[in-house]
Amino acid sequence: MIAITSLGIYRYYREQCETLAEKIEYYQMETIVKEQFLSSQTYELISSLMVHEYWVDDIYQSINREPLIITSSSRHDEVLDITFVGTSQSFLSWYNMVQQKLKYCHIQIMSVDTKGNSIFFTCKVTPLVT
């Protein structure tokens, strides 16, 4: 009786170990496939197309995170001309954030003007992927 019970327990744990080993093997294969895809040219192409499509929206959303006010903006071809008012600290914070998180956009500072207590920043923003 003890031998039969022990054999049953042994089979149960053996099946559990085999199931766990299969799950680990599947997870490892899935991880390898994901890593291969994320480093593939296909992924880079898909990412660049998605980034290229929404880069203007990303710029506007990034400006909304800082205390900056857009006074004018226009888009022609692949260039976004934008002028906004704010403090130099808020501008630099926005600029650094775009450089770090929106690496697919290039900001060129065209002018910095002061009128009274206000500072106006005029920039050209272009996508790096065209």
Coordinates of all heavy atoms in Angstrom, one line a residue, residues 12-93:
Y12 N 3.0 11.9 -9.9 CA 2.5 13.2 -9.8 C 3.5 14.3 -9.9 O 3.5 15.2 -10.7 CB 1.6 13.4 -8.6 CG 1.1 14.8 -8.4 CD1 0.0 15.3 -9.1 CD2 1.7 15.6 -7.4 CE1 -0.4 16.6 -8.9 CE2 1.3 16.9 -7.2 CZ 0.2 17.4 -8.0 OH -0.2 18.7 -7.8
Y13 N 4.5 14.2 -9.1 CA 5.6 15.2 -9.0 C 6.4 15.2 -10.3 O 6.9 16.2 -10.8 CB 6.5 15.0 -7.8 CG 5.8 15.6 -6.6 CD1 5.4 14.7 -5.5 CD2 5.6 16.9 -6.4 CE1 4.8 15.3 -4.4 CE2 5.0 17.4 -5.3 CZ 4.6 16.6 -4.3 OH 3.9 17.1 -3.2
R14 N 6.6 14.0 -10.9 CA 7.3 13.9 -12.1 C 6.6 14.6 -13.3 O 7.2 15.4 -14.0 CB 7.6 12.4 -12.5 CG 8.4 12.2 -13.7 CD 8.7 10.8 -13.9 NE 9.4 10.6 -15.2 CZ 9.5 9.5 -15.8 NH1 9.1 8.4 -15.3 NH2 10.1 9.4 -17.0
E15 N 5.3 14.4 -13.3 CA 4.4 15.1 -14.3 C 4.5 16.6 -14.1 O 4.6 17.4 -15.0 CB 3.0 14.6 -14.2 CG 2.8 13.2 -14.8 CD 1.4 12.7 -14.5 OE1 0.5 13.5 -14.0 OE2 1.1 11.6 -14.9
Q16 N 4.5 17.1 -12.8 CA 4.6 18.5 -12.5 C 5.9 19.1 -12.9 O 5.9 20.2 -13.5 CB 4.3 18.7 -11.0 CG 3.0 18.4 -10.5 CD 1.9 19.3 -11.1 OE1 2.1 20.5 -11.3 NE2 0.8 18.7 -11.5
C17 N 7.0 18.3 -12.7 CA 8.3 18.8 -13.1 C 8.4 18.9 -14.6 O 9.0 19.8 -15.2 CB 9.4 17.9 -12.6 SG 9.7 18.0 -10.8
E18 N 7.8 17.9 -15.3 CA 7.9 17.9 -16.8 C 7.0 19.1 -17.3 O 7.5 19.8 -18.3 CB 7.3 16.6 -17.4 CG 8.3 15.4 -17.2 CD 7.7 14.1 -17.6 OE1 6.5 14.1 -18.1 OE2 8.4 13.1 -17.4
T19 N 5.9 19.4 -16.8 CA 5.1 20.5 -17.2 C 5.8 21.8 -16.9 O 5.8 22.7 -17.8 CB 3.7 20.5 -16.4 OG1 3.1 19.3 -16.6 CG2 2.9 21.6 -16.8
L20 N 6.4 21.9 -15.8 CA 7.2 23.1 -15.5 C 8.4 23.3 -16.4 O 8.6 24.4 -16.9 CB 7.7 23.1 -14.0 CG 8.4 24.3 -13.5 CD1 7.5 25.5 -13.6 CD2 8.8 24.1 -12.0
A21 N 9.1 22.2 -16.7 CA 10.2 22.3 -17.7 C 9.7 22.7 -19.1 O 10.4 23.5 -19.7 CB 10.9 20.9 -17.8
E22 N 8.5 22.2 -19.5 CA 8.0 22.7 -20.8 C 7.6 24.2 -20.8 O 7.9 24.9 -21.8 CB 6.7 21.8 -21.1 CG 7.0 20.4 -21.5 CD 5.8 19.6 -21.7 OE1 4.6 20.1 -21.5 OE2 5.9 18.3 -21.9
K23 N 7.1 24.6 -19.7 CA 6.7 26.0 -19.6 C 8.0 26.9 -19.6 O 8.0 27.9 -20.2 CB 5.9 26.3 -18.3 CG 4.5 25.8 -18.3 CD 3.8 26.1 -17.0 CE 2.4 25.6 -17.0 NZ 1.7 25.9 -15.8
I24 N 9.0 26.5 -18.9 CA 10.3 27.2 -18.9 C 10.9 27.2 -20.3 O 11.3 28.3 -20.8 CB 11.3 26.6 -17.9 CG1 10.8 26.9 -16.5 CG2 12.7 27.2 -18.1 CD1 11.6 26.2 -15.4
E25 N 10.8 26.1 -21.0 CA 11.4 26.0 -22.4 C 10.6 26.9 -23.3 O 11.1 27.7 -24.1 CB 11.3 24.6 -22.9 CG 11.9 24.4 -24.2 CD 11.9 22.9 -24.6 OE1 11.7 22.0 -23.8 OE2 12.1 22.7 -25.9
Y26 N 9.2 26.9 -23.2 CA 8.4 27.8 -24.0 C 8.7 29.3 -23.8 O 8.8 30.1 -24.7 CB 6.9 27.5 -23.8 CG 6.0 28.4 -24.5 CD1 5.7 28.2 -25.9 CD2 5.4 29.5 -23.9 CE1 4.9 29.1 -26.6 CE2 4.5 30.3 -24.6 CZ 4.3 30.1 -25.9 OH 3.5 31.0 -26.6
Y27 N 8.8 29.6 -22.5 CA 9.1 31.0 -22.1 C 10.5 31.4 -22.7 O 10.6 32.6 -23.2 CB 9.1 31.2 -20.6 CG 9.6 32.5 -20.1 CD1 8.7 33.6 -20.2 CD2 10.8 32.8 -19.6 CE1 9.1 34.9 -19.8 CE2 11.2 34.0 -19.2 CZ 10.3 35.1 -19.3 OH 10.7 36.3 -18.9
Q28 N 11.5 30.6 -22.6 CA 12.8 30.9 -23.2 C 12.7 31.1 -24.7 O 13.3 32.0 -25.2 CB 13.8 29.8 -22.8 CG 14.2 29.8 -21.4 CD 15.0 28.6 -21.0 OE1 15.0 27.6 -21.6 NE2 15.8 28.7 -19.9
M29 N 12.0 30.2 -25.4 CA 11.9 30.4 -26.8 C 11.1 31.7 -27.2 O 11.5 32.4 -28.1 CB 11.1 29.2 -27.4 CG 12.0 27.9 -27.5 SD 11.2 26.5 -28.4 CE 9.6 26.4 -27.7
E30 N 10.1 32.0 -26.4 CA 9.3 33.2 -26.7 C 10.2 34.4 -26.4 O 10.2 35.4 -27.2 CB 8.1 33.2 -25.7 CG 7.2 34.4 -25.9 CD 6.0 34.4 -25.0 OE1 6.2 34.0 -23.8 OE2 4.9 34.8 -25.4
T31 N 11.0 34.4 -25.4 CA 11.9 35.5 -25.1 C 13.0 35.7 -26.2 O 13.2 36.8 -26.6 CB 12.6 35.3 -23.8 OG1 11.6 35.1 -22.7 CG2 13.5 36.4 -23.4
I32 N 13.5 34.6 -26.7 CA 14.5 34.7 -27.8 C 13.9 35.2 -29.1 O 14.4 36.1 -29.7 CB 15.1 33.3 -28.1 CG1 16.0 32.9 -26.9 CG2 15.9 33.2 -29.4 CD1 16.4 31.4 -26.9
V33 N 12.6 34.8 -29.4 CA 12.0 35.3 -30.6 C 11.7 36.8 -30.4 O 11.9 37.6 -31.4 CB 10.6 34.5 -30.8 CG1 9.8 35.2 -31.9 CG2 11.0 33.1 -31.2
K34 N 11.2 37.2 -29.3 CA 11.0 38.7 -29.0 C 12.3 39.5 -29.2 O 12.3 40.5 -29.8 CB 10.4 38.9 -27.6 CG 8.9 38.6 -27.5 CD 8.4 38.9 -26.1 CE 7.0 38.5 -26.0 NZ 6.5 38.7 -24.6
E35 N 13.4 39.0 -28.6 CA 14.6 39.7 -28.7 C 15.1 39.8 -30.2 O 15.6 40.8 -30.6 CB 15.7 39.0 -27.9 CG 15.5 39.2 -26.4 CD 16.5 38.4 -25.6 OE1 17.4 37.7 -26.1 OE2 16.4 38.4 -24.3
Q36 N 14.9 38.7 -30.9 CA 15.3 38.7 -32.3 C 14.5 39.7 -33.1 O 15.0 40.4 -34.0 CB 15.2 37.3 -32.9 CG 16.2 36.3 -32.4 CD 16.0 34.9 -32.9 OE1 14.9 34.6 -33.4 NE2 17.0 34.1 -32.8
F37 N 13.2 39.7 -32.8 CA 12.3 40.7 -33.5 C 12.6 42.1 -33.2 O 12.7 43.0 -34.1 CB 10.8 40.4 -33.2 CG 9.9 41.4 -33.9 CD1 9.7 41.4 -35.2 CD2 9.2 42.3 -33.1 CE1 8.9 42.3 -35.8 CE2 8.4 43.3 -33.7 CZ 8.2 43.3 -35.1
L38 N 12.9 42.4 -31.9 CA 13.2 43.8 -31.5 C 14.5 44.3 -32.1 O 14.7 45.5 -32.2 CB 13.2 43.9 -30.0 CG 11.8 43.7 -29.3 CD1 11.9 43.7 -27.8 CD2 10.8 44.7 -29.8
S39 N 15.4 43.4 -32.5 CA 16.6 43.8 -33.0 C 16.6 43.6 -34.6 O 17.7 43.8 -35.2 CB 17.8 43.0 -32.4 OG 17.7 41.6 -32.7
S40 N 15.5 43.3 -35.1 CA 15.4 43.1 -36.6 C 15.2 44.4 -37.4 O 14.8 45.4 -36.8 CB 14.3 42.1 -36.9 OG 13.1 42.7 -36.7
Q41 N 15.5 44.3 -38.6 CA 15.3 45.5 -39.5 C 13.8 45.7 -39.7 O 13.3 46.9 -39.9 CB 15.9 45.3 -40.9 CG 17.5 45.3 -40.8 CD 18.1 45.0 -42.1 OE1 17.5 44.6 -43.1 NE2 19.4 45.3 -42.2
T42 N 13.0 44.7 -39.6 CA 11.5 44.8 -39.8 C 11.0 45.7 -38.6 O 10.2 46.6 -38.9 CB 10.8 43.4 -39.8 OG1 11.4 42.6 -40.8 CG2 9.4 43.6 -39.9
Y43 N 11.4 45.4 -37.4 CA 11.0 46.2 -36.3 C 11.4 47.7 -36.4 O 10.6 48.6 -36.1 CB 11.5 45.6 -35.0 CG 11.1 46.4 -33.7 CD1 9.9 46.4 -33.2 CD2 12.1 47.2 -33.1 CE1 9.5 47.1 -32.1 CE2 11.7 48.0 -32.0 CZ 10.4 47.9 -31.5 OH 10.1 48.7 -30.4
E44 N 12.6 47.9 -36.9 CA 13.1 49.3 -37.0 C 12.3 50.0 -38.1 O 11.9 51.2 -37.9 CB 14.6 49.2 -37.4 CG 15.5 48.8 -36.3 CD 17.0 48.8 -36.8 OE1 17.3 49.5 -37.7 OE2 17.8 48.1 -36.1
L45 N 11.9 49.3 -39.2 CA 11.1 49.9 -40.2 C 9.7 50.2 -39.7 O 9.2 51.4 -39.9 CB 11.0 49.0 -41.4 CG 10.1 49.5 -42.5 CD1 10.6 50.8 -43.1 CD2 10.0 48.4 -43.6
I46 N 9.1 49.3 -39.0 CA 7.8 49.5 -38.4 C 7.8 50.7 -37.4 O 6.9 51.6 -37.4 CB 7.2 48.3 -37.8 CG1 6.9 47.2 -38.9 CG2 6.0 48.6 -37.0 CD1 6.6 45.8 -38.3
S47 N 8.8 50.7 -36.6 CA 8.9 51.8 -35.6 C 9.1 53.1 -36.2 O 8.5 54.1 -35.8 CB 10.1 51.5 -34.6 OG 9.9 50.3 -33.9
S48 N 10.0 53.2 -37.2 CA 10.2 54.5 -37.9 C 9.0 55.0 -38.6 O 8.7 56.2 -38.6 CB 11.4 54.3 -38.9 OG 11.0 53.6 -40.0
L49 N 8.2 54.1 -39.2 CA 6.9 54.5 -39.8 C 5.9 55.0 -38.8 O 5.3 56.0 -39.1 CB 6.3 53.3 -40.6 CG 7.1 52.9 -41.9 CD1 6.5 51.7 -42.5 CD2 7.2 54.0 -42.9
M50 N 5.9 54.4 -37.7 CA 4.9 54.8 -36.7 C 5.4 56.1 -36.1 O 4.6 57.0 -35.9 CB 4.8 53.8 -35.6 CG 4.0 52.5 -36.0 SD 4.0 51.2 -34.8 CE 3.1 52.1 -33.4
V51 N 6.7 56.3 -35.8 CA 7.2 57.5 -35.3 C 7.1 58.6 -36.3 O 6.7 59.7 -35.9 CB 8.7 57.3 -34.9 CG1 9.4 58.6 -34.7 CG2 8.8 56.5 -33.7
H52 N 7.3 58.4 -37.5 CA 7.2 59.4 -38.6 C 5.8 59.9 -38.6 O 5.6 61.1 -38.9 CB 7.7 58.8 -39.9 CG 7.6 59.8 -41.0 ND1 8.5 60.8 -41.1 CD2 6.8 59.9 -42.1 CE1 8.3 61.5 -42.1 NE2 7.3 61.0 -42.8
E53 N 4.8 59.1 -38.4 CA 3.4 59.5 -38.6 C 3.0 60.4 -37.4 O 2.2 61.3 -37.6 CB 2.6 58.2 -38.6 CG 1.1 58.5 -38.9 CD 0.3 57.2 -39.0 OE1 0.9 56.1 -39.2 OE2 -0.9 57.3 -39.0
Y54 N 3.5 60.1 -36.2 CA 3.0 60.8 -35.0 C 3.9 61.8 -34.4 O 3.7 62.2 -33.3 CB 2.5 59.8 -34.0 CG 1.4 58.9 -34.5 CD1 1.7 57.6 -34.8 CD2 0.2 59.4 -34.7 CE1 0.7 56.7 -35.3 CE2 -0.8 58.5 -35.2 CZ -0.6 57.2 -35.5 OH -1.5 56.4 -36.0
W55 N 5.0 62.2 -35.0 CA 6.0 63.0 -34.4 C 5.5 64.4 -34.0 O 5.9 64.9 -32.9 CB 7.3 63.1 -35.2 CG 7.2 63.9 -36.5 CD1 6.8 63.4 -37.7 CD2 7.5 65.3 -36.6 NE1 6.8 64.4 -38.6 CE2 7.2 65.6 -38.0 CE3 7.9 66.3 -35.8 CZ2 7.4 66.9 -38.5 CZ3 8.1 67.5 -36.3 CH2 7.8 67.8 -37.6
V56 N 4.6 65.0 -34.8 CA 4.1 66.3 -34.5 C 3.2 66.2 -33.2 O 3.4 67.1 -32.3 CB 3.3 66.8 -35.6 CG1 2.6 68.1 -35.3 CG2 4.2 67.1 -36.8
D57 N 2.4 65.2 -33.1 CA 1.6 65.0 -31.9 C 2.5 64.9 -30.6 O 2.1 65.4 -29.6 CB 0.7 63.8 -32.0 CG -0.4 64.0 -33.1 OD1 -0.7 65.1 -33.5 OD2 -0.8 62.9 -33.6
D58 N 3.5 64.1 -30.8 CA 4.4 63.9 -29.6 C 5.1 65.2 -29.2 O 5.2 65.5 -28.0 CB 5.5 62.9 -30.0 CG 5.0 61.5 -30.2 OD1 3.8 61.2 -29.7 OD2 5.7 60.6 -30.8
I59 N 5.4 66.1 -30.2 CA 6.0 67.4 -29.8 C 5.0 68.2 -29.1 O 5.3 68.8 -28.0 CB 6.5 68.1 -31.1 CG1 7.8 67.4 -31.6 CG2 6.8 69.6 -30.8 CD1 9.0 67.4 -30.7
Y60 N 3.8 68.3 -29.6 CA 2.7 69.1 -28.9 C 2.5 68.6 -27.5 O 2.3 69.4 -26.5 CB 1.5 69.2 -29.7 CG 1.5 70.1 -30.9 CD1 1.3 69.7 -32.2 CD2 1.8 71.5 -30.7 CE1 1.3 70.6 -33.2 CE2 1.9 72.3 -31.7 CZ 1.6 71.9 -33.0 OH 1.7 72.8 -34.1
Q61 N 2.4 67.3 -27.3 CA 2.2 66.7 -26.0 C 3.3 67.0 -25.1 O 3.1 67.2 -23.9 CB 1.9 65.2 -26.1 CG 0.6 64.8 -26.7 CD 0.4 63.4 -26.9 OE1 1.3 62.6 -26.5 NE2 -0.7 63.0 -27.5
S62 N 4.5 67.0 -25.6 CA 5.7 67.3 -24.7 C 5.7 68.7 -24.3 O 6.1 69.0 -23.1 CB 7.0 67.0 -25.5 OG 7.2 67.9 -26.5
I63 N 5.2 69.6 -25.1 CA 5.1 71.0 -24.7 C 4.1 71.2 -23.6 O 4.2 72.0 -22.7 CB 4.8 71.9 -25.9 CG1 6.0 71.9 -26.9 CG2 4.4 73.4 -25.5 CD1 5.7 72.6 -28.2
N64 N 3.0 70.4 -23.7 CA 1.9 70.5 -22.7 C 2.4 70.1 -21.3 O 1.8 70.4 -20.3 CB 0.7 69.7 -23.1 CG 0.0 70.3 -24.2 OD1 0.0 71.5 -24.4 ND2 -0.7 69.5 -25.0
R65 N 3.5 69.3 -21.2 CA 4.0 68.9 -19.9 C 4.8 70.0 -19.2 O 5.0 69.9 -18.0 CB 4.9 67.7 -20.1 CG 4.2 66.5 -20.6 CD 5.1 65.3 -20.7 NE 4.5 64.2 -21.4 CZ 5.0 63.6 -22.5 NH1 6.2 63.9 -22.9 NH2 4.3 62.6 -23.1
E66 N 5.1 71.0 -19.9 CA 5.9 72.1 -19.3 C 5.0 73.4 -19.3 O 4.1 73.5 -20.1 CB 7.2 72.4 -20.1 CG 8.1 71.3 -20.2 CD 8.7 70.9 -18.8 OE1 8.8 71.8 -18.0 OE2 9.0 69.8 -18.6
P67 N 5.4 74.3 -18.4 CA 4.6 75.6 -18.4 C 5.0 76.5 -19.5 O 5.7 77.5 -19.3 CB 4.9 76.2 -17.0 CG 6.2 75.6 -16.6 CD 6.3 74.2 -17.3
L68 N 4.7 76.1 -20.8 CA 5.0 76.8 -22.0 C 3.7 77.1 -22.7 O 2.8 76.3 -22.7 CB 6.0 76.1 -22.9 CG 7.4 75.8 -22.3 CD1 8.1 74.8 -23.3 CD2 8.2 77.0 -22.2
I69 N 3.6 78.3 -23.3 CA 2.4 78.7 -24.0 C 2.8 78.8 -25.5 O 3.7 79.6 -25.8 CB 1.8 80.0 -23.5 CG1 1.4 79.8 -22.0 CG2 0.6 80.4 -24.3 CD1 1.0 81.1 -21.3
I70 N 2.1 78.1 -26.4 CA 2.3 78.2 -27.8 C 1.7 79.5 -28.3 O 0.5 79.7 -28.2 CB 1.8 77.0 -28.6 CG1 2.5 75.7 -28.1 CG2 2.0 77.2 -30.1 CD1 1.9 74.5 -28.6
T71 N 2.5 80.4 -28.9 CA 1.9 81.6 -29.5 C 1.6 81.5 -31.0 O 0.7 82.1 -31.5 CB 2.8 82.8 -29.3 OG1 4.1 82.6 -29.8 CG2 3.0 83.1 -27.8
S72 N 2.4 80.7 -31.7 CA 2.2 80.4 -33.1 C 2.9 79.1 -33.5 O 3.9 78.7 -32.9 CB 2.7 81.5 -34.0 OG 4.1 81.6 -34.0
S73 N 2.3 78.4 -34.4 CA 2.9 77.2 -35.0 C 2.4 77.0 -36.4 O 1.2 77.3 -36.7 CB 2.6 76.0 -34.1 OG 1.2 75.6 -34.2
S74 N 3.3 76.5 -37.2 CA 2.9 76.1 -38.6 C 3.7 74.9 -39.0 O 4.8 74.7 -38.6 CB 3.1 77.3 -39.5 OG 4.5 77.7 -39.6
R75 N 3.1 74.2 -39.9 CA 3.8 73.0 -40.4 C 3.8 73.1 -41.9 O 2.8 73.2 -42.5 CB 3.1 71.7 -39.9 CG 3.8 70.5 -40.4 CD 3.2 69.2 -39.9 NE 3.8 68.1 -40.5 CZ 3.3 66.9 -40.4 NH1 2.2 66.6 -39.8 NH2 4.0 65.9 -40.9
H76 N 5.0 73.0 -42.5 CA 5.1 72.9 -43.9 C 6.2 71.9 -44.3 O 7.2 71.8 -43.6 CB 5.5 74.3 -44.5 CG 6.6 75.0 -43.9 ND1 7.9 74.8 -44.3 CD2 6.6 75.8 -42.8 CE1 8.7 75.6 -43.5 NE2 7.9 76.2 -42.6
D77 N 5.9 71.1 -45.3 CA 6.7 69.9 -45.6 C 6.9 69.1 -44.3 O 6.0 68.7 -43.7 CB 8.0 70.4 -46.2 CG 7.8 71.1 -47.5 OD1 6.9 70.8 -48.3 OD2 8.6 72.1 -47.8
E78 N 8.1 68.9 -44.0 CA 8.4 68.1 -42.8 C 9.1 69.0 -41.7 O 9.9 68.5 -40.9 CB 9.4 66.9 -43.1 CG 8.7 65.8 -43.9 CD 7.5 65.2 -43.1 OE1 7.7 64.9 -41.9 OE2 6.5 64.9 -43.7
V79 N 8.7 70.2 -41.6 CA 9.2 71.2 -40.6 C 8.1 71.8 -39.9 O 7.1 72.2 -40.4 CB 10.0 72.3 -41.3 CG1 10.5 73.3 -40.3 CG2 11.2 71.7 -42.1
L80 N 8.2 71.7 -38.5 CA 7.2 72.4 -37.7 C 7.9 73.6 -37.1 O 8.9 73.5 -36.4 CB 6.9 71.4 -36.5 CG 5.9 71.9 -35.4 CD1 4.6 72.3 -36.0 CD2 5.8 70.9 -34.3
D81 N 7.4 74.8 -37.5 CA 7.8 76.1 -36.9 C 6.9 76.4 -35.7 O 5.7 76.4 -35.8 CB 7.7 77.2 -37.9 CG 8.7 77.1 -39.0 OD1 9.9 76.6 -38.8 OD2 8.3 77.3 -40.2
I82 N 7.6 76.6 -34.6 CA 6.8 76.8 -33.4 C 7.4 77.9 -32.5 O 8.6 78.0 -32.4 CB 6.7 75.5 -32.6 CG1 5.6 75.5 -31.6 CG2 8.0 75.1 -32.0 CD1 5.2 74.1 -31.1
T83 N 6.6 78.8 -32.0 CA 7.0 79.9 -31.1 C 6.2 79.8 -29.9 O 4.9 79.6 -29.9 CB 6.8 81.3 -31.8 OG1 7.5 81.3 -33.0 CG2 7.2 82.4 -30.9
F84 N 6.8 79.8 -28.7 CA 6.1 79.8 -27.5 C 6.8 80.7 -26.5 O 7.9 81.1 -26.6 CB 5.9 78.4 -26.9 CG 7.1 77.5 -27.1 CD1 8.1 77.4 -26.1 CD2 7.3 76.7 -28.2 CE1 9.2 76.6 -26.3 CE2 8.4 75.9 -28.4 CZ 9.3 75.8 -27.4
V85 N 6.0 81.0 -25.4 CA 6.4 81.9 -24.3 C 6.6 81.0 -23.1 O 5.8 80.2 -22.8 CB 5.4 83.0 -24.1 CG1 5.8 83.9 -22.9 CG2 5.2 83.8 -25.3
G86 N 7.6 81.3 -22.3 CA 7.8 80.7 -21.0 C 9.1 81.1 -20.4 O 9.8 82.0 -20.9
T87 N 9.5 80.5 -19.3 CA 10.7 80.8 -18.7 C 11.9 80.0 -19.3 O 11.6 79.0 -20.0 CB 10.7 80.5 -17.2 OG1 10.5 79.0 -17.1 CG2 9.5 81.2 -16.5
S88 N 13.1 80.5 -19.1 CA 14.2 79.8 -19.7 C 14.3 78.4 -19.1 O 14.7 77.4 -19.7 CB 15.5 80.6 -19.5 OG 15.7 80.9 -18.1
Q89 N 14.0 78.3 -17.8 CA 14.0 77.0 -17.1 C 13.0 76.0 -17.7 O 13.3 74.9 -18.0 CB 13.7 77.2 -15.6 CG 13.8 75.9 -14.8 CD 13.5 76.1 -13.4 OE1 13.2 77.2 -12.9 NE2 13.5 75.0 -12.6
S90 N 11.8 76.5 -18.0 CA 10.8 75.6 -18.6 C 11.2 75.2 -20.0 O 11.0 74.1 -20.5 CB 9.4 76.2 -18.6 OG 9.3 77.4 -19.3
F91 N 11.8 76.2 -20.8 CA 12.2 75.9 -22.1 C 13.3 74.8 -22.1 O 13.3 73.8 -22.8 CB 12.7 77.1 -22.8 CG 13.3 76.8 -24.2 CD1 12.5 76.5 -25.3 CD2 14.7 76.8 -24.3 CE1 13.1 76.2 -26.5 CE2 15.3 76.5 -25.6 CZ 14.5 76.2 -26.6
L92 N 14.3 75.0 -21.2 CA 15.4 74.1 -21.2 C 15.0 72.7 -20.7 O 15.5 71.7 -21.2 CB 16.6 74.6 -20.3 CG 17.3 75.8 -20.8 CD1 18.3 76.4 -19.8 CD2 18.0 75.5 -22.1
S93 N 14.0 72.7 -19.8 CA 13.5 71.4 -19.3 C 12.8 70.7 -20.5 O 13.0 69.5 -20.7 CB 12.5 71.7 -18.2 OG 11.9 70.5 -17.8

